Amino acid sequence: MPKFAANLTMLFKELPELDRFDAAAEAGFDAVEVLFPYDMQANEILSALGRNNLSLELINCPPPNYTGGARGFAAVPESRDRFRHDFKRTLRYAEALGARLVHIMAGPARGPEARETFVDNLRWASDFAQKQKLTIEPINDIDMPGYFLNDFDLAAEILDEVAAPNLALQFDTYHAHRIHGDIMACWDKHAHQVGHIQVGGIPDRHEPAGGDFDYPAFFKMLDDTGYAGVVSAEYFPSGKTTESGLGWLGLRSV
C-alpha cells in the first residue's frame, strides 16, 4: 500500500498548527506536508515531527510574503532576483526541517520570456541545491488564474529541457483532472517523471473517495507498479472536522 502523508496546510485546520502533527499521527499518517512553514519556529516543528515519528515530505517555495500578490516568481522575468533570494530562504528551512522535497512555484506569467525564465531559474536552483530534491507542479487555471505552469505536457517539456537529476514532476490528481480530464491517461504519459503524488476528490477536491475517480484502483496500481514515493492527501475536508472524513484511508487495503 502507498505511504500516505497529510497536507497540514489543508487538513486538520480546526486545530492550531502545531497540534495538527499530533492529529495526523493519531489518524495513521506516516508523513506530512506543510506548504508554508515559515511562520512557525523550526525547533517547534522538529519537536512535533519527532514526538510523532513523522517525516516532512514537502514545503513550498517561495515563502508566503506575497499578501494579496502572486504565488511564486520562478517564471516571472522581472522577479528573477526575488526568486533566487526566496529560494535560498526556503532551502534553509528545508535543510533545518529535513524536508524531502521543495516545490518551486512558477507564479503568474505567459509567453516565451516566461518559459525561458522558468527554465533558467530551475537550472540555477537545481545546481545551487544539488542535494535537495525539487518538484514543479502544473496548477489549473480555474483555481489559480494566470499561473504559468498550467499544463502537464508543458511541465514534461521543461523537465526534459532542464534535465536535472534532482528535479521531478509533482502529480496532483485533482489538477490533472481539471487540466486534462482523463487522470489515468495523464498518469500513463508522465509517470516516468513523477517524484511526488497528491490526491483530492474528483470533482470537488474533498476526500479522495467516491466521486468520479476510482481511487482504490489508483492506489492498487501504484502498488502493482512499484511506486516508492509518498501519496499526499491534499484536499478540503467535507465535514466539520478532518477526522470525520478519514474513512477513505481504509482504501489502502483494497
Side-chain angles (χ1 to χ4, degrees):
M1 65 185 70
K3 178 180 178 180
F4 286 87
N7 183 307
L8 299 186
T9 304
M10 297 173 69
L11 302 187
F12 302 105
K13 290 185 70 173
E14 64 273 17
L15 300 172
E17 287 181 315
L18 288 170
D19 292 345
R20 297 175 196 175
F21 295 84
D22 306 291
E26 290 173 6
F29 289 100
D30 302 306
V32 295
E33 294 179 351
V34 183
L35 299 186
F36 303 109
Y38 307 98
D39 290 333
M40 292 185 279
Q41 295 294 322
N43 62 336
E44 292 179 332
I45 296 175
L46 285 171
S47 177
L49 291 168
R51 69 173 176 263
N52 290 294
N53 196 29
L54 292 168
S55 59
L56 180 60
E57 183 66 11
L58 177 145
I59 64 175
N60 276 0
C61 175
N65 54 357
Y66 43 71
T67 304
R71 296 203 173 192
F73 313 105
V76 182
E78 61 271 23
S79 297
R80 189 184 303 260
D81 290 343
R82 183 174 184 180
F83 164 73
R84 297 186 182 194
H85 175 272
D86 282 352
F87 180 80
K88 291 175 182 177
R89 183 184 175 204
T90 296
L91 189 61
R92 290 196 295 271
Y93 268 84
E95 290 173 345
L97 299 175
R100 190 177 78 87
L101 300 168
V102 169
H103 165 217
I104 295 177
M105 301 189 74
R110 285 291 185 268
E113 189 180 4
R115 190 186 190 286
E116 181 182 352
T117 299
F118 195 40
V119 168
D120 187 47
N121 277 331
L122 290 174
R123 283 176 172 158
W124 172 85
S126 299
D127 183 64
F128 183 83
Q130 295 182 22
K131 295 182 180 180
Q132 176 65 58
K133 294 183 182 298
L134 309 171
T135 66
I136 56 173
E137 177 190 19
I139 298 176
N140 75 83
D141 268 333
I142 299 170
D143 287 348
M144 201 172 290
Y147 193 75
F148 172 76
L149 194 63
N150 62 355
D151 182 271
F152 278 78
D153 293 335
L154 174 61
E157 292 173 4
I158 288 172
L159 287 169
D160 285 341
E161 187 171 347
V162 175
N166 56 332
L167 179 65
L169 178 66
Q170 189 166 313
F171 190 95
D172 187 307
T173 56
Y174 169 77
H175 289 302
H177 166 74
R178 284 282 200 176
I179 295 169
H180 296 288
D182 189 332
I183 296 172
M184 288 311 302
C186 187
W187 171 265
D188 290 341
K189 187 174 183 179
H190 300 297
H192 66 287
Q193 294 176 308
V194 171
H196 185 53
I197 298 172
Q198 294 172 324
V199 295
I202 308 300
D204 53 15
R205 209 178 191 182
H206 291 316
E207 288 77 6
D212 299 335
F213 185 63
D214 190 345
Y215 270 110
F218 181 70
F219 296 148
K220 185 176 186 303
M221 178 276 296
L222 294 178
D223 288 342
D224 291 345
T225 56
Y227 175 73
V230 168
V231 176
S232 179
E234 188 183 64
Y235 63 86
F236 300 107
S238 58
K240 292 183 178 179
T241 67
T242 300
E243 184 179 7
S244 66
L246 289 179
W248 68 270
L249 281 170
L251 298 178
R252 290 183 291 179
S253 62
V254 173

